[in-house]
Every structure is written in C-alpha cells, then in structure tokens.
Amino acid sequence: MTLKVGILGFGGLGQAAAKLLSAKQEMQLVVAADKEGFAYDRNGLNALDAIATYQSKGSLGHLETGHLTQDSIAEAIATAKDVDGYFLALPNLPNTFMASVAKQFIASGWKGVLVDAIKRTSAVEQMIALAPELEAAGITYMSGCGATPGLLTAAAAIAAQSFAEVHKVKITFGVGIANWNAYRATIREDIAHMSGYTVDMAMAMTDAEVEALLETTNGLITLENMEHADDIMLERMGICDRDRVTVGGVVDTRNPKKPLSTNMQLTGRTFEGKISTHIFTLGDETSMAANVCGPAFGYLKAGKQFHQRGIYGLMTAAEVMPAFVR
Ligand code: NAD
C-alpha cells in the first residue's frame, strides 16, 4: 500500500523531503504548502516541477494544480482529505507556531499521522501538553523526529540499553550548508540559541541583519548547552534526568562540508560496575537534509502502523523505532 503524504513548509527541508519521496514506492507526495499557497494532486505531485516553480515563482500556488492563498495550511488540509500523514517542515517561529498548527489539525476533524522535527524543549513540551486532544481527535503525532532531536535521540535510547545507569548524553552536531538562504528558518532558529539572542529577536531580524551577524563570525554559528528537546524526550522515557543531556554544535553557513562529525556519546555504568561510553557518529557525507528527512518519514511510517491499530496521541523519537520506507 502506498501512503499519501503531505509536506507543510517548502523551504530547505520541505524541498529535500519532496526529492527524497520521489524515489520511494511506499509513499507518494500528493500535497505541499508554503506561506503563499499550496498544490494538491491526488495522483501525485512531481517533486522537480514543484521545486522549480517554488524557486522561480516563490510559491507552489503557481503550479497548475496550485492555489495561491494566505491561509494555505487550513486550505490544504480541507482540500487533501485523503492524506495519510504530513511532515511539518515549517519554521517554529514564534516558538508556539507548531503547536498552533497541531491545533488547526485537531479543529479540522482530519485523522492521520503528523510528524515534526521541532527542536526546542519548550516546543516539544507544548506538544506533550496537547497529547490528550490529539488522542481524542484520532491523530498520531510524532514529535522531535528530525536529526537532533530525532535520529540521535533514538540512538541514545538504544545505547542506554547496555547500562544500569546513564550518566551523560552528549550530542554534538556539525552542519555545513553552502548558503544560509537555503535554510532560513533553521539558521534563524540557531541564531536564537546564541548568547544575547532570543527566538523573538531572531524572528524579527531582517535578512541584512542575519548576513551582517554571519559576516562577523565568518559564517560560523557555534552553539553550546542549547535548549534542545533531546533532554525531555530521554527523561520522559526514564533514561536519565534532563540535566544529564547536553546538545551543541557548529553550523557553517558558507561551506557544504561539515565543520565536525555529528555524534552522540552516551556514558553510563553497566550492571557490573564498569563505566563506559557508546559513540554513534554520522557519516560526514550525509547532509542535514538526509539526516532529518529520512527519519521524519521513517517515523511517519511507524506512526501509520500505530494509527491503523487505533493508537493515537503523542509519541517522540525516543520511544518508537522508526520504520524504513522503501
Ligand atoms: P525554511 O525557512 O527553508 O522554509 C520554511 C518554509 O515554510 C517556507 O516554504 C515557507 O514559505 C513556509 N512557511 C512559513 N510560514 C508558513 C505558514 N504560516 N504557512 C505555510 N507555510 C509557511 O525552513 P527550513 O530551514 O527548511 O526549516 C524548517 C524547520 O525544520 C525549522 O523549524 C528548523 O528548526 C527545523 N529543523 C530541524 C532539525 C532537526 O534535526 N530536528 C534540523 C534542521 C531543521
């Protein structure tokens, strides 16, 4: 059975997600939305056409199957009733935006699977608070299912199995992108983690201000002790307290080569009293897009299996094994 899939948000991650799906047999992209419009075709959208139109004309609404509208999410949900699940590749700006989109789905009466790749602890907490409403609405919501949180949090949950007590989880990411423009929300949200900045400040910055800031750092954003939901996702599973989890990294906005190898290191004590560290390192050739979109659809497929069994509500990447999408 081929799952009909939607993508909300058609920036860096949304476009990569569309490309990734075009090579899959088990999932078909039928609807996608950006800020200015959406396109829906029950027989499938062509990823390359969609990307070309978005890049040249600014919105999917200019496609033959498209509609230009300032209320694209609500209209896409109402139009594409046959969609099994959505990947929410939207910016979480302000920090309450994704929760407001989840509420829109709840209010619409649509039933299916939603997957996000949100990052902040406070953003995932908002989703956890919505769990009873999602459950009552017949929605299976998979939160924090990108790379970090996501793939690396899941790796920590697996690594923890060797230990009687987990002392420390340290996630360090390296991201290289040729141009910050390709991932504007990601970069703005990263700036919001820099000392002296907030989400509201980063959201309000003009493009010229972002460029001026990146000019002062030679295009690099170095982050430490970020507010990242990997902490509550692992705490929720009883793996360790949130204060034992740290996330940081380096983003190079001027070079597609990763400035460092993304890795997760989990240190713990085994039942025999030995202290040791498991390390999970991502291949340097794998892009942020590959490490976010791959897991997101793996969790969408897993979410669909729960949904078919009548299991609704909220789950995170730390509590479910992603399925593999062929
Ligand atoms: P982007 O800025 O490149 O694109 C955002 C897209 O969303 C655009 O197409 C825009 O038109 C659309 N959009 C904005 N507001 C909208 C609205 N109200 N209705 C409909 N569409 C709207 O974003 P990006 O860099 O691809 O990042 C997307 C998200 O993914 C960010 O929140 C980022 O933090 C997250 N992310 C997560 C991870 C992870 O590992 N968990 C990694 C990278 C990025």
Side-chain angles (χ1 to χ4, degrees):
M1 180 179 122
T2 303
L3 298 185
K4 292 193 182 284
V5 171
I7 299 173
L8 299 187
F10 211 65
L13 284 186
Q15 292 171 47
K19 240 186 248 169
L20 184 154
L21 282 182
S22 63
K24 298 287 186 187
Q25 285 91 57
E26 290 183 332
M27 288 189 180
Q28 183 185 35
L29 179 65
V30 294
V31 62
D34 58 60
K35 203 166 188 217
E36 315 293 333
F38 72 97
Y40 167 68
D41 186 340
R42 56 196 287 272
N43 297 316
L45 292 172
N46 180 294
L48 295 181
D49 285 351
I51 292 167
T53 300
Y54 180 85
Q55 290 185 353
S56 63
K57 299 190 174 151
S59 174
L60 295 158
H62 293 286
L63 278 164
E64 227 170 88
T65 50
H67 306 269
L68 289 164
T69 161
Q70 290 301 305
D71 200 10
S72 61
I73 296 177
E75 289 192 30
I77 302 171
T79 306
K81 293 211 168 61
D82 57 342
V83 174
D84 295 287
Y86 286 90
F87 172 35
L88 308 176
L90 294 160
N92 194 30
L93 296 169
N95 196 36
T96 50
F97 183 66
M98 204 63 92
S100 74
V101 172
K103 285 184 196 154
Q104 243 178 301
F105 273 100
I106 292 167
S108 75
W110 174 85
K111 294 181 195 324
V113 184
L114 296 175
V115 179
D116 74 37
I118 52 176
K119 297 202 265 197
R120 281 192 180 257
T121 304
S122 50
V124 172
E125 276 170 337
Q126 293 166 39
M127 291 304 170
I128 292 171
L130 283 176
E133 288 171 58
L134 290 162
E135 189 170 358
I139 293 172
T140 305
Y141 193 107
M142 319 295 287
S143 192
C145 296
T148 165
L151 181 61
L152 294 158
T153 336
I158 291 175
Q161 306 306 320
S162 302
F163 300 97
E165 188 190 2
V166 172
H167 295 154
K168 195 170 137 189
V169 177
K170 186 171 184 233
I171 291 172
T172 311
F173 60 80
V175 170
I177 51 179
N179 186 339
W180 84 275
N181 252 315
Y183 291 95
R184 299 158 72 88
T186 302
I187 298 306
R188 277 212 167 72
E189 289 177 42
D190 282 341
I191 290 173
H193 286 278
M194 291 171 70
S195 76
Y197 288 85
T198 64
V199 174
D200 291 337
M201 282 163 77
M203 190 177 155
M205 284 169 83
T206 62
D207 289 358
E209 285 168 339
V210 171
E211 269 149 33
L213 170 65
L214 293 174
E215 196 54 48
T216 64
T217 63
N218 205 16
L220 296 174
I221 303 176
T222 304
L223 301 158
E224 279 177 339
N225 284 321
M226 300 170 76
E227 185 214 314
H228 246 235
D230 308 78
D231 61 358
I232 50 156
M233 288 162 60
L234 293 170
E235 184 177 84
R236 198 171 125 92
M237 291 299 98
I239 290 169
C240 63
D241 289 345
R242 65 180 74 185
D243 59 8
R244 296 185 176 191
V245 183
T246 57
V247 180
V250 179
V251 182
D252 189 340
T253 61
R254 293 180 180 174
N255 189 345
K257 193 173 174 301
K258 284 188 194 188
L260 57 90
S261 301
T262 298
N263 66 89
M264 184 288 301
Q265 304 192 16
L266 180 142
T267 304
R269 178 182 48 77
T270 67
F271 77 100
E272 306 107 321
K274 296 272 193 269
I275 308 284
S276 191
T277 300
H278 280 347
I279 302 178
F280 176 70
T281 306
L282 303 187
D284 286 341
E285 299 78 9
T286 62
S287 63
M288 176 175 80
N291 291 316
V292 173
C293 300
F297 290 117
Y299 281 105
L300 201 159
K301 182 174 170 183
K304 178 68 184 178
Q305 291 163 0
F306 285 108
H307 197 264
Q308 277 168 330
R309 285 189 251 148
I311 301 167
Y312 313 133
L314 182 126
M315 299 171 212
T316 77
E319 56 204 88
V320 171
M321 184 70 91
F324 188 79
V325 184
R326 287 189 296 270

